[in-house]
Amino acid sequence: MKRLVFLMIFTSVFFQAQEIEDLQEGYFFSESSKNFFRVDIKKPYNYNKVSSCAEDSPFIRAQFEGGDAAFNRELFRYISAYVDKEIYVVNGTFFLQMEIDKEGRVTSLNIIPKVENSDGFLRDLKFAVRKIKKNWTPSKCNNVPVDSKIRIRLNFVTESIDV
């Protein structure tokens, strides 16, 4: 009887943990001693169809190795590692614009909007994105690889406390 009660308590704890995890889907958290940092990476990404690709031509968008969820995890991992949460208190939406060439490499990277005193933050964010080493499968128009552009919306929320 004791084993049954223990087993029921043990399993109910895991069911609650799963519910909390489901509620946080799409958000990534990182904590430091003074700051609580959240990044909401919005899906779907904005993929621009190449202008040289006709309307009736089949178009396949660029894909990250492992899919969009894998890219989100990698992106947050590197943001957590290289964007200093002690220095920056970031709140608001930024757009990450990437150009992917025919070989699947990121050739151009831009982050907008440019806001006052954000040079260090934008530099660190670009560095974090460039550290992602996996390649993309390039976009294809009529099964021919083409250059493409992707725009990803990042919503930052930082809560800071004075200790």
Side-chain angles (χ1 to χ4, degrees):
M1 184 67 177
K2 289 180 185 178
R3 289 182 186 165
L4 181 61
V5 171
F6 176 73
L7 183 60
M8 288 175 45
I9 292 171
F10 184 72
T11 56
S12 68
V13 170
F14 284 111
F15 287 127
Q16 291 295 332
Q18 184 63 39
E19 271 182 42
I20 292 170
E21 188 174 306
D22 290 342
L23 291 174
Q24 296 172 350
E25 184 176 329
Y27 292 98
F28 297 96
F29 300 94
S30 180
E31 294 182 53
S32 66
S33 59
K34 294 192 299 186
N35 292 338
F36 178 76
F37 192 75
R38 182 177 77 192
V39 181
D40 180 17
I41 303 172
K42 295 290 187 183
K43 289 192 228 175
Y45 303 153
N46 294 331
Y47 292 92
N48 298 338
K49 188 172 182 179
V50 182
S51 59
S52 62
C53 190
E55 287 295 321
D56 58 344
S57 300
F59 179 76
I60 300 171
R61 67 179 181 90
Q63 296 285 327
F64 185 73
E65 244 179 71
D68 291 347
F71 180 74
N72 288 354
R73 283 190 302 274
E74 288 288 310
L75 179 59
F76 182 73
R77 187 173 115 207
Y78 285 108
I79 287 174
S80 295
Y82 294 107
V83 175
D84 191 352
K85 292 167 284 303
E86 295 294 322
I87 296 175
Y88 310 117
V89 177
V90 183
N91 291 304
T93 301
F94 289 85
F95 293 94
L96 172 64
Q97 298 175 330
M98 300 187 308
E99 291 183 15
I100 299 173
D101 68 5
K102 297 174 186 177
E103 284 79 37
R105 294 184 305 245
V106 177
T107 56
S108 175
L109 182 64
N110 193 20
I111 299 166
I112 56 172
K114 307 286 188 218
V115 293
E116 190 176 339
N117 299 325
S118 68
D119 295 337
F121 169 71
L122 297 177
R123 184 187 62 242
D124 289 352
L125 189 54
K126 277 185 181 181
F127 183 76
V129 174
R130 291 205 184 277
K131 294 299 279 184
I132 299 173
K133 296 297 182 198
K134 294 181 182 174
N135 278 340
W136 291 73
T137 303
S139 295
K140 293 182 181 179
C141 180
N142 288 327
N143 285 330
V144 176
V146 293
D147 296 340
S148 62
K149 295 180 182 181
I150 298 174
R151 186 174 134 182
I152 301 170
R153 183 175 167 193
L154 306 171
N155 188 23
F156 288 89
V157 177
T158 304
E159 295 177 17
S160 120
I161 59 168
D162 290 330
V163 181

